[in-house]
Structure formats: C-alpha cells, structure tokens
Amino acid sequence: MPVIRAPHEFNVDDLFVDLSGVVGHSMHLKCEGFNFAGSIKIKAALEMVQAAERAGVLHPGGTLVESSSGNLGVALSTIAANLGYRFICVTDPRCAPTSVTMMRALGAEVHVVRQPDGRGGYLGTRIARVRELCAADPELIWLNQYANPGNWRAHYRRTAPAIAHEFPNLDVLFVGAGSTGTLMGCARWFRDAGAATRVVAVDAVGSVTFGGPPARRAIPGLGTSVAPALLDRDLVDDVVHVDDTETVAACMLLASAGFLLGGSSGTVLAGALAWSAVHDSDRTLTSVAIAPDLGERYATTVYDETWVTNEVTAPNQRRASQPTSVPIEERPRT
C-alpha cells in the first residue's frame, strides 16, 4: 500500500469490472470513485487547481468558488482543505444531502440556490449566483469547470490512457456528459491516437447539451440546462439519452450484484445497454463504460424507495402522454 501525504495522491485508476455475469454479455465498467473524494471529479479538480496555481491567479490562502451538483464540490472541498484554500460551492436542491454534509465537514461554505433556471434545471441560477459572488469579491477565483480546459486535460492525461492500456483494441467507449470534461478528454485522446474506438456520449433526458428539449431532471450529475462551452460535438460519434427511470433501474441492477454505484454510473450503464441493444446485437464488440462515482451518497435518493416514487415515478406518470426518452443519434464514422 502507498504512503501518501495528501488525499489527491491516492486514486485507483485501473479498476475494471467485467459485467458479463450481470448484463448477460461482454461489458466492462471502469470504476472511478475509489479515492478520498469518492468520484472521478478528483482528477479534474486537481488539474484545474494546479493550473490556477501555475498561472499565478491562485495564491496561498486564496478562495475558490465553483458551481457543482455535488461530486466536483466534494472533490474541490477535499483538495482545498488539504492545500489551505477556502472554498465556496454553489449547488442546488438536487445535490445529495450527504454531499452537502461532506463539503461542510471539509470546511467548505455551501450556497444552495432554489430557483430553477427555466430550462429544466438549476445550472443557470447557480452560475448567476457564482457571478454575483465574484462581483462582490473580486479576490474569488472561479475555476469554471464548464469552460476550463483543465477539466478535459485531466482525462486526456489519465483516464483515456488507462483505458487504452487495459483495452488496446477497444471498440466502444461510453462516457457520461455533464460538464463534458471526461467526454472531451477521452474523445480527444482516442482521436489523437488514431484509434477506431467509437466514443458514445450518454446524456440525460431533459438535458440541452446536445440540443434536446429542456425538461425536469431529478438525478444530479449528468445533463445540463446550459450547454457547456467545452463541448466539441465533432469529437462524439453517437449520443444516447437516458431518463431517470432507466437510471434507477440500472443502479438497482448493479446493486443486485453487489455493486453499489452512483446515479451517474447508472445513467452511463443504462445508455451503454440501450446503445448495445441496437448496434451490437451479436455481442462481439469490446465495450467499456465509465462509472464516475460510488453509491453511498445516493442512499437517500436513488436507493430510497420513497424518494424514487416521489421524484421519479410519479413525475414520469404525469408525463405519460409525452415521450420519456430521446432516440439514439448516430453520427457517421469519418
């Protein structure tokens, strides 16, 4: 076992789970989250903080501010506590209560905005609040994960190479689309490597990232109500949208086999299974899906029957007369 001095020095980056016994065919899950922040966001958080330090905009004792639905907030809280920075996280009511508690335990100041932005989410409201805070205190450093190149570089440098090392002949990679940092970093790496790997983005129904209509989303993590500036659509081969019901079902499928993973992980797996049912009916492709987070902080949401009934099942029933999923889009391979 390694001896470390800082929480960000430990991160399991080479753990893959063979899900063939769970889903009935070849599918591998890259399990992130085995680190002190509990998610893949520890990589982007560290990369963005270190870039701000190198650029001379972040100084000892400085204060960081960021908008987050949960995971990045916990990751930045972890790093800020260790490096001696103050951190302000702006989040919303969908953030798991456990994540809020974790951030505050790590010394972060948490602001919860409660006014939806009118586009099916809270991101617009969260960003507006960050801008207000920065205007009131020009000393605040907003990392801006939605436009910060350090977000995708973290995965270009670490996540994608780790996948390619384990699966040198990978056919399909499934990546969730939130801020699109993981998606863009991996897509750029495989494109630059000249690999034939198809990169499939998994987004949430109700997200506007790929031009879909905005709608309410109950599960945080993937999907946005403001299209992220990092996104380069030309780097993505296909897109599949997953609704909250499908996310919960995928999480419960994993849990039934002893793998308690997060809502974002369930969304990515649900998208991978939907795509494979259409494009890999003979089950010959080598596939990897990135699972961004672990499941403990979703115990009172995705894994709570009452919450699922009130926040997912009932709203979907009220929208029963409308489509609840968006068809898979496929871009021709160039």
Side-chain angles (χ1 to χ4, degrees):
M1 293 296 292
V3 176
I4 64 172
R5 291 181 178 272
H8 53 267
E9 292 177 0
F10 176 78
N11 185 50
V12 178
D13 206 20
D14 56 359
L15 177 62
F16 295 83
V17 176
D18 182 350
L19 289 179
S20 57
V22 179
V23 302
H25 60 86
S26 179
M27 176 73 67
H28 297 87
L29 204 63
K30 185 181 191 306
C31 289
E32 301 280 351
F34 288 96
N35 56 62
F36 283 91
S39 82
I40 196 172
K41 292 292 189 177
I42 192 78
K43 299 177 187 177
L46 181 62
E47 185 78 21
M48 292 188 293
V49 167
Q50 290 180 333
E53 292 173 334
R54 290 192 299 267
V57 298
L58 179 58
H59 305 286
T63 301
L64 299 165
V65 62
E66 185 57 277
S67 156
S68 171
S69 61
N71 284 340
L72 182 67
V74 173
L76 283 171
S77 298
T78 302
I79 292 172
N82 180 258
L83 298 181
Y85 298 121
R86 290 182 59 235
F87 173 53
I88 301 171
C89 181
V90 178
T91 188
D92 61 66
R94 297 185 310 161
C95 181
T98 304
S99 295
V100 174
T101 300
M102 291 173 67
M103 285 188 275
R104 287 177 172 153
L106 289 162
E109 179 181 326
V110 182
H111 294 217
V112 182
V113 302
R114 302 191 180 279
Q115 180 64 40
D117 60 16
R119 296 183 294 273
Y122 293 87
L123 180 54
T125 310
R126 293 200 325 245
I127 291 176
R129 178 58 176 154
V130 170
R131 295 187 188 279
E132 290 175 2
L133 292 170
C134 290
D137 183 358
E139 297 298 316
L140 295 183
I141 305 300
W142 179 24
L143 295 174
N144 192 4
Q145 62 164 319
Y146 313 103
N148 192 321
N151 191 349
W152 67 260
R153 284 182 185 140
H155 304 289
Y156 188 95
R157 292 173 178 170
R158 295 186 58 181
T159 308
I163 295 169
H165 179 266
E166 188 68 25
F167 298 91
N169 298 308
L170 182 64
D171 292 308
V172 190
L173 176 64
F174 299 97
V175 189
S179 67
T180 68
T182 308
L183 175 64
M184 290 294 96
C186 290
R188 279 196 175 90
W189 191 93
F190 280 100
R191 180 68 61 89
D192 290 349
T197 304
R198 299 188 71 89
V199 176
V200 179
V202 181
D203 198 9
V205 169
S207 168
V208 305
T209 299
F210 293 94
R216 176 186 180 275
R217 291 170 286 113
I219 300 172
L222 300 186
T224 64
S225 56
V226 179
L230 290 180
L231 178 65
D232 181 347
R233 184 64 176 83
D234 290 336
L235 294 176
V236 179
D237 295 299
D238 307 316
V239 180
V240 56
H241 286 76
V242 173
D243 69 22
D244 290 339
T245 301
E246 294 163 331
T247 290
V248 171
C251 285
M252 298 309 296
L253 175 65
L254 288 167
S256 71
F259 298 106
L260 193 71
L261 298 177
S264 296
S265 300
T267 302
V268 175
L269 177 60
L273 295 177
W275 187 95
S276 298
V278 175
H279 298 282
D280 187 25
S281 57
D282 55 358
R283 310 306 190 193
T284 60
L285 298 180
T286 300
S287 303
V288 169
I290 298 178
D293 52 2
L294 303 181
E296 293 93 334
R297 65 192 63 170
Y298 295 86
T300 59
T301 56
V302 172
Y303 294 103
D304 181 81
E305 185 176 350
T306 299
W307 183 91
V308 171
T309 298
N310 293 337
E311 300 297 328
V312 176
T313 307
N316 276 359
Q317 289 174 344
R318 287 194 294 269
R319 294 194 300 267
S321 61
Q322 302 175 1
T324 57
S325 62
V326 178
I328 295 170
E329 303 172 15
E330 182 173 357
R331 293 175 63 83
R333 187 70 176 174
T334 57

